Amino acid sequence: MARDAARLRVKGDRSAPGIDVVQEKRDAREKAKAVEIKVTLPTFEQCAEIYIREHWSTWSTKHRNQWPSSLKRYAYPTIGKLTVPETKPSHIYELLRPIWVEKRETANRVRGRIETIIAKNVDVDDTDFRNPAELTKQLREKLPRRPKRVMRHHPALPYAEASQFMTGLSAAGGTAASMLRFLILTACRTNEVVDARWSEIDRASSTWRIPGERMKMHQDHVVPLSDPALAILDKMHNGTQGELIFPNPDDGMFSENAMLAVLDRLGYSHVTVHGFRSTFATWAEECTEYTDGVREASAVFGR
């Protein structure tokens, strides 16, 4: 009782009860510590810029475009000027809430990128640290409820119609049409072909080595190139191109919708680009005697 009374006194009058001086000193120390942290630690935006620079050379063009733009648009306005210790789960909730339902994939990627950058800037021995961007039960329950996904299959062209389709496609002009033919002949995914580089082609061995960072399974994949696929590359290799095999007219990377536009132009809007992988897989299963493992490897580590 006497000890409590001694702690409680008005500032400047030690005889009267009032302010908890011990707590006041503790608050002052915490405030000074916060100021020191603010001065010495980098902001989240600075941490993000360092992380991006460190990984830039290993990233695909898609990653180089998406990482800076998504963080600048969705993360920096809320946490860009905060240090890692100042960043709280409530900040993450605040920036994710407007896009959590309407932009599901963007929200997932932004949250994951924030979590990665914060983790990069925390002492590995700090076992008490909890990443504020971690998708905990508390954060998940606070965010708006998402409607259940409706699973949609990628409509595929029956392989019996593939020959007629390829004849029409071969007669179509334009880089996007050539890119679609190359995709079908290699049974690869859209993003792998859109971002294909000349440095990945080994003409002597007739192979295309796709680096792991652009693969779904994150492993390097070597694609054997048939004569028709090589003929497409020979046509594209005119001595004036840049690093991209299939550049758009501005020498940049094509949108992933470019090949869909070709399908629509040819009257095949009822099928999808990705569906040609299913066309290949069905043909391989029904018309060849190769084992499942060989067919899966040919279709680039599964669909």
Side-chain angles (χ1 to χ4, degrees):
M1 192 76 149
R3 182 180 301 171
D4 291 341
R7 291 178 58 190
L8 297 172
R9 48 192 177 270
V10 177
K11 199 171 185 180
D13 182 357
R14 297 183 180 276
S15 62
I19 296 174
D20 186 339
V21 177
V22 174
Q23 183 61 45
E24 188 179 58
K25 289 181 178 179
R26 184 180 294 120
D27 292 343
R29 286 196 300 270
E30 290 297 324
K31 185 176 181 180
K33 184 178 179 181
V35 171
E36 182 182 356
I37 288 174
K38 192 73 174 177
V39 171
T40 58
L41 290 181
T43 64
F44 175 82
E45 184 174 344
Q46 290 169 332
C47 292
E49 289 174 349
I50 292 170
Y51 183 88
I52 290 170
R53 283 199 302 270
E54 288 177 348
H55 293 79
W56 190 263
S57 63
T58 65
W59 281 350
S60 66
T61 302
K62 186 175 182 180
H63 274 69
R64 291 177 179 180
N65 290 334
Q66 289 185 348
W67 269 74
S69 63
S70 65
L71 292 173
K72 181 178 180 180
R73 182 172 182 179
Y74 300 111
Y76 294 167
T78 303
I79 63 174
K81 303 306 179 186
L82 300 178
T83 64
V84 167
E86 291 176 317
T87 305
K88 307 300 180 187
S90 56
H91 295 127
I92 308 303
Y93 164 76
E94 181 182 341
L95 67 89
L96 288 179
R97 182 180 54 80
I99 60 174
W100 189 247
V101 175
E102 298 299 324
K103 299 181 179 180
R104 181 193 295 251
E105 292 305 322
T106 298
N108 290 343
R109 288 170 182 157
V110 168
R111 187 206 61 78
R113 287 163 187 167
I114 294 172
E115 183 179 16
T116 297
I117 291 166
I118 290 176
K120 180 73 172 179
N121 288 274
V122 176
D123 188 341
V124 70
D125 292 324
D126 188 354
T127 56
D128 295 327
F129 177 79
R130 190 185 79 172
N131 197 314
E134 180 184 349
L135 190 57
T136 59
K137 184 174 178 61
Q138 297 99 307
L139 180 58
R140 191 190 297 274
E141 290 300 320
K142 271 302 253 189
L143 288 165
R145 186 71 60 187
R146 286 171 165 174
K148 290 186 177 181
R149 286 182 180 271
V150 177
M151 296 301 294
R152 294 184 176 90
H153 295 289
H154 299 283
L157 184 73
Y159 66 80
E161 300 175 23
S163 178
Q164 179 181 350
F165 170 78
M166 290 298 285
T167 299
L169 180 60
S170 297
T175 301
S178 296
M179 183 166 57
L180 179 56
R181 287 178 60 214
F182 189 77
L183 176 142
I184 295 169
L185 292 167
T186 56
C188 286
R189 296 181 177 84
T190 298
N191 66 296
E192 294 158 5
V193 175
V194 165
D195 201 20
R197 309 297 175 112
W198 288 111
S199 57
E200 299 165 359
I201 303 297
D202 186 340
R203 191 64 174 77
S205 62
S206 300
T207 56
W208 171 27
R209 180 179 292 275
I210 309 174
E213 62 263 22
R214 292 206 287 110
M215 293 296 301
K216 182 178 180 180
M217 301 299 290
H218 305 293
Q219 300 176 31
D220 287 0
H221 181 66
V222 179
V223 182
L225 298 174
S226 63
D227 288 342
L230 290 171
I232 294 172
L233 294 181
D234 291 342
K235 179 181 177 181
M236 295 302 303
H237 200 281
N238 56 22
T240 62
Q241 70 288 319
E243 176 62 5
L244 286 172
I245 295 177
F246 301 103
N248 66 25
D250 297 324
D251 290 329
M253 191 166 60
F254 265 109
S255 161
E256 294 189 356
N257 292 323
M259 288 181 283
L260 282 174
V262 174
L263 289 174
D264 187 54
R265 193 167 73 241
L266 295 176
Y268 285 84
S269 58
H270 58 288
V271 300
T272 65
V273 175
H274 193 89
F276 284 100
R277 290 168 54 77
S278 295
T279 301
F280 167 81
T282 304
W283 168 81
E285 181 178 0
E286 296 183 3
C287 300
T288 75
E289 296 181 356
Y290 292 109
T291 62
D292 289 345
V294 172
R295 292 198 301 269
E296 284 296 298
S298 299
V300 197
F301 304 118
R303 297 188 297 279

